[in-house]
Amino acid sequence: MATRLSGQRWNADEGEGKGGRWRSLWRVYFGPMTTEFDYTRIPELPASVYVAPLRKPAGLGDDWLEPAQRRYSAGEHRIWDDLYARQIELMPGHACREFMHGLERLDLGRGGVPDFHEISEELRSLTGWSVVPVPMLIPDHVFYYHLANRRFPAGNFIRSREQFDYIQEPDVFHDVFGHVPLLTDPVFADYMAAYGRAGWKALKYNRLKALSALYWYTVEFGLILEDDALRIYGAGILSGPTETVFSIEGRSPHRIHLAVDRVMRTDYTISDLQATYFVIESFRELFHLTEQRGFEPIYESLAPGFQYAKTAALDTDHIYHRGTQEYELRGGRGSGARPV
Ligand SMILES: [Fe+2]
C-alpha cells in the first residue's frame, strides 16, 4: 500500500520540473508546506467567490462563536438520551471501529447533552481538538478557519420532538454524536485539520464546490473497508438510523472506491439519502490521497460546477457494488419511496 501511495505522490508532481521535485522531497521529509497562508486568521473572501448569504445573529464576532454552550431543559436532555439510545443500538456491525473507540473514550452516553468543556478536555489530550458552540450553519470560510485550528464548531441547539427523525440543519446531536468520536483518532484528526487548511486554497482558486464535495463524500457520508466488510465513518450517516442501514445494506446506492479527482467532480444530494457512497481503505489512505498530494493540480484542472451526476458509475471506477438506483429513480424521500 505504501509503495502505491508514494508512487502516486511522485506521479502527481511529474512535469513540474525541479520545483515540483523539491516540493515532493519537502513533503516526504518535512510534511506539506503550509507557510503560504496565515491559518490563524479568518481567510479573506475574494470578491469572485460566492458563499451562501447566512445572516449572523446579533452579538457574535467574525468567528461566529457563541460565548457559551446553551443550558438545555430537562426535556431537551431527554431528546439527546432518546436519540442516543436509538442510534447506539445500530452501531455494532455498521460503524467503523475508530468511531466505536471514540464513542467509548468520550462516554457520550453518560446522560443528557454532553458538556463541550468536558469533551474538549479529553479531545485536547488525545489529538489537540476542541468543540466550540455555534448558533447554526456558519459560512464556509469561517468553518475552515476553525478546522485549521483544530476547533470543531458544533450546533448549540437540539432538535425538537417533531423533528426527531429528520432535521436539515445540523444540531448538537448530529455534530457531537456524528462527528466528535472520530476526532479522537490521530490520523482522522489530522485529515480534518488539513481539510480546513485546504479551504484557503479552494478560495484562492474559486473551487469551494469541489472541496465541499470531498467533505460531503468523506467526513459526512464516507464508508471504509474493515476486514473486507463495509463500515461507516461519515457523520451524516451515523447520526440517523435510516441511512445507517441503507448505506451498508441497501441495494439502491452505488459503492465506489474513492478517487479524489473523481469525487471533487461529483454532484451530491443535500436533503435525502445519497445515491452513491465512496469507500476508503483506511484513514491513512485518505490523508495521503489529499493532504500529501496537494490540491493545486486538481483545482487547476477542474471546470466550475460538477461534471458527474450523483448516480454516475464510470468505466474508470473501482465499483464494489453497482446500485440499482431504484430509491433515487422513484423520486426519493419526497415521493415516499422505500429506502431499499
Ligand atoms: Fe456534519
Side-chain angles (χ1 to χ4, degrees):
M1 202 64 226
T3 316
R4 185 163 74 82
L5 288 169
S6 53
Q8 282 178 347
R9 195 157 58 224
W10 281 103
N11 289 341
D13 283 318
E14 260 173 26
E16 286 184 25
K18 259 190 181 164
R21 201 60 46 101
W22 164 243
R23 276 197 291 278
S24 292
L25 281 171
W26 179 283
R27 280 203 285 269
V28 169
Y29 291 110
F30 303 108
M33 291 193 288
T34 52
T35 50
E36 200 181 337
F37 301 105
D38 178 1
Y39 298 112
T40 63
R41 292 165 190 231
I42 298 172
E44 273 174 40
L45 204 54
S48 58
V49 172
Y50 170 82
V51 291
L54 299 172
R55 188 185 291 267
K56 188 169 59 173
L60 298 192
D62 290 340
D63 61 9
W64 282 66
L65 295 188
E66 297 216 285
Q69 188 179 8
R70 266 181 71 159
R71 294 175 70 87
Y72 304 94
S73 69
E76 288 177 320
H77 281 301
R78 271 198 303 277
I79 290 176
W80 171 281
D81 291 341
D82 293 346
L83 286 165
Y84 183 90
R86 177 173 73 172
Q87 209 53 28
I88 198 73
E89 282 231 330
L90 287 169
M91 293 297 97
H94 290 109
C96 70
R97 64 170 81 88
E98 291 85 351
F99 182 86
M100 299 302 284
H101 287 164
L103 267 184
E104 267 170 45
R105 190 88 206 223
L106 297 172
D107 193 17
L108 296 181
R110 67 186 84 169
V113 181
D115 181 276
F116 289 3
H117 282 300
E118 282 175 27
I119 47 181
S120 295
E121 216 165 278
E122 179 91 354
L123 272 180
R124 237 180 251 118
S125 70
L126 293 169
T127 56
W129 276 77
S130 61
V131 178
V132 289
V134 289
M136 54 188 281
L137 271 180
I138 62 174
D140 286 338
H141 65 299
V142 182
F143 185 61
Y144 297 140
Y145 158 71
H146 289 302
L147 294 188
N149 290 284
R150 293 185 177 250
R151 289 186 296 268
F152 189 77
N156 215 346
F157 70 102
I158 190 157
R159 69 194 74 183
S160 64
R161 285 275 166 200
E162 290 70 47
Q163 300 164 309
F164 196 78
D165 289 330
Y166 177 70
I167 182 171
Q168 197 158 0
E169 185 136 8
D171 70 340
V172 68
F173 185 76
H174 165 80
D175 279 333
V176 173
F177 183 91
H179 285 283
V180 173
L182 274 186
L183 294 175
T184 61
D185 180 80
V187 180
F188 191 83
D190 284 351
Y191 172 72
M192 284 291 274
Y195 183 90
R197 295 194 298 272
W200 268 257
K201 279 184 199 157
L203 285 165
K204 182 176 148 194
Y205 288 91
N206 200 357
R207 289 293 176 270
L208 276 185
K209 281 297 273 184
L211 189 65
S212 300
L214 182 65
Y215 187 84
W216 199 257
Y217 281 121
T218 59
V219 178
E220 294 291 356
F221 293 95
L223 300 183
I224 187 168
L225 273 178
E226 201 172 276
D227 306 326
D228 288 332
L230 286 174
R231 292 288 181 266
I232 306 160
Y233 71 92
I237 307 177
L238 289 168
S239 51
T242 309
E243 198 151 14
T244 295
V245 176
F246 178 81
S247 65
I248 298 288
E249 294 157 34
R251 58 179 182 255
S252 295
H254 298 319
R255 299 178 187 92
I256 297 173
H257 193 75
L258 182 131
V260 171
D261 297 53
R262 195 277 202 224
V263 164
M264 286 180 128
R265 291 174 160 83
T266 307
D267 197 5
Y268 52 86
T269 303
I270 291 187
S271 55
D272 203 342
L273 309 175
Q274 299 303 308
T276 299
Y277 299 95
F278 289 95
V279 181
I280 58 171
E281 285 179 9
S282 66
F283 294 137
R284 204 161 285 283
E285 180 201 28
L286 179 62
F287 188 70
H288 277 285
L289 289 175
T290 51
E291 167 74 342
Q292 300 203 341
R293 155 139 184 217
F295 283 104
E296 274 102 336
I298 307 181
Y299 291 143
E300 279 164 1
S301 69
L302 282 179
F306 291 125
Q307 189 178 343
Y308 304 126
K310 54 201 176 188
T311 52
L314 311 178
D315 290 346
T316 46
D317 282 337
H318 174 162
I319 300 173
Y320 297 98
H321 167 84
R322 187 183 290 269
T324 61
Q325 293 298 337
E326 59 193 274
Y327 176 72
E328 181 79 22
L329 295 174
R330 289 199 170 113
R333 178 178 282 133
S335 69
R338 275 198 326 125
V340 290

